[in-house]
Amino acid sequence: MQTPYYYYDLTLLERTLDAACLASRPYGYCLHYAVKANADPVLLRRISARGLGADCVSGNEVERALECGFSPSSIVYAGVGKSDREIEFALRHDIFCFNCESLPEIEVIHDIACRLGKVARIAIRVNPNVDAHTHHYITTGIEENKFGVYLSDLDRVVNAVSEMPRIRLLGIHFHIGSQITDMSVFRGLCLRAREIQSRLHARGVVLPHINFGGGLGVDYEYPDEHPIPDFRAYFDTFSRFFEPAAGQQVHFELGRSLVAQCGTLIARVLYVKEGERRRFAILDAGMNDLLRPALYQAYHKIENLTSTLPALKYDVVGPICESADCFGKEVALPATRRGDLIAIRTCGAYGEVMASRYNLRDLPGTIYSEEGIFPCKI
Ligand code: LLP
């Protein structure tokens, strides 16, 4: 198989889905998969077959989710910039709920619903001003972010919505950030959600649904030790600190935690270059295949699948004409040669979906395995 390619361990995906479903079931939580993390049809079909809903952020994601077996009544659709065409598409397919981020957006949804003779179900995405303490590019729930309706604006938006006959307010929605491993952050979200909910109840606003978004992190450093995130600790936190109102359905939108560990980027070493101070392993995969290290300075574990020689230190880089095109500095790898296969781990989320054709390079390939073992020498 020509490198670079994304290798997906479908057995690990299934085990991860088992764990998430098992941990959420006692509380009756409704799980949606955040398609943005990985929109690969093979993965999506596995996930929809398990009865999860889909969380989408574009019309194309809604379309892909429908093609891959998610029922319209399980689809939620978020995003600060939904276009008229996307809104119309989602309304025509009767998706479950629009997660709305501003009053101007709700007004447009209302206009389009009137034109189509439909009723749009919405949740208001509230910016709860809870700091996720994660990388600033993936923190979304504090007031300096563009996301959601600010707390100070919430009453005004709720009042306006009550005047719109073709909008049905189902609930509130939050998403405070991604790669969160400290459960006390989610506890903070629960406490804030309680305050907001009682404030709305006091005004007679009943919310049959509440959606806490996603954000549960994974272990990038030790993927073999922790291949499956601690879903139990995550859902237990919500059950302890958030008591739903009578009959209220609690929703989640998990992306990374469901798919990150089942994906690995496999690349080949093109050249080893001995610099003055550094030794470079130059791969045939670049930042166009996996953007996370360049964009977020993200750590991914790197392994040489071919060599068993004593270790040396390498800067592992790609072929793109940018100094940011680096997967790891001073990485200890067994002595590495041209042709060795390299695995960049924990790439199932925000890997393939963020790939581009920068430098007019080809998009990476994909390979799927049911074997449950790492693909040493495919
Ligand atoms: N719901 C909403 C409204 C979101 O914006 C996101 C992710 C999720 C759910 C899923 O969050 P997760 O469970 O995956 O943390 N490209 C970045 C991550 C961006 C996350 C964007 N929103 C990265 O590679 O780290």
Side-chain angles (χ1 to χ4, degrees), residues 105-362:
E105 175 199 330
I106 300 171
E107 286 165 352
V108 170
I109 294 176
H110 186 241
D111 285 349
I112 298 175
C114 289
R115 176 159 57 76
L116 299 181
K118 298 254 182 198
V119 171
R121 290 171 292 274
I122 71 156
I124 297 175
R125 176 170 180 179
V126 180
N127 183 323
N129 204 19
V130 173
D131 195 341
H133 298 295
T134 179
H135 189 280
H136 60 285
Y137 280 9
I138 51 177
T139 288
T140 47
I142 53 175
E143 273 174 0
E144 66 196 59
N145 300 131
K146 66 182 174 185
F147 300 99
V149 169
Y150 306 105
L151 284 175
S152 51
D153 250 2
L154 187 56
D155 288 343
R156 188 173 67 89
V157 175
V158 168
N159 286 342
V161 166
S162 67
E163 305 288 311
M164 298 181 191
R166 290 196 173 268
I167 296 286
R168 184 156 158 242
L169 179 61
L170 288 189
I172 44 177
H173 169 242
F174 305 95
H175 174 75
I176 55 172
S178 199
Q179 185 50 22
I180 300 167
T181 48
D182 175 358
M183 293 302 127
S184 70
V185 169
F186 293 117
R187 186 182 64 208
L189 173 61
C190 290
L191 302 182
R192 188 57 56 82
R194 259 161 47 177
E195 286 165 26
I196 297 169
Q197 178 137 303
S198 26
R199 197 171 115 188
L200 291 170
H201 276 178
R203 301 188 51 226
V205 182
V206 184
L207 303 168
H209 297 269
I210 186 162
N211 183 335
F212 286 108
L216 176 62
V218 301
D219 192 340
Y220 282 95
E221 279 182 52
Y222 302 102
D224 293 318
E225 288 79 349
H226 301 124
I228 298 179
D230 193 348
F231 292 109
R232 191 165 296 162
Y234 176 69
F235 291 121
D236 283 356
T237 302
F238 286 90
S239 84
R240 281 175 58 204
F241 296 104
F242 182 81
E243 194 186 337
Q248 187 177 44
Q249 175 72 64
V250 180
H251 299 250
F252 294 88
E253 305 164 343
L254 296 175
R256 187 189 315 264
S257 53
L258 295 177
V259 293
Q261 297 292 16
C262 78
T264 300
L265 179 62
I266 307 284
R268 216 174 267 286
V269 178
L270 289 175
Y271 305 104
V272 175
K273 178 161 148 179
E274 302 279 347
E276 281 287 303
R277 307 219 188 118
R278 304 257 182 185
R279 189 180 292 114
F280 295 97
I282 302 171
L283 308 186
D284 62 1
M287 63 192 276
N288 71 298
D289 300 295
L290 174 68
L291 186 59
R292 301 193 72 256
L295 188 58
Y296 315 114
Q297 299 74 50
Y299 173 82
H300 285 260
K301 186 172 184 194
I302 302 175
E303 293 167 339
N304 184 323
L305 301 178
T306 310
S307 169
T308 51
L309 297 168
L312 294 171
K313 291 217 164 141
Y314 297 86
D315 281 11
V316 180
V317 302
I320 304 265
C321 310
E322 301 248 6
S323 297
D325 186 26
C326 176
F327 295 116
K329 286 195 191 301
E330 305 263 322
V331 182
L333 291 175
T336 294
R337 301 188 183 137
R338 173 175 166 81
D340 287 358
L341 277 182
I342 300 291
I344 306 182
R345 304 287 305 278
T346 320
C347 285
Y350 308 109
E352 192 188 343
V353 275
M354 292 176 79
S356 77
R357 293 211 51 211
Y358 187 35
N359 286 195
L360 272 193
R361 288 166 48 80
D362 292 329

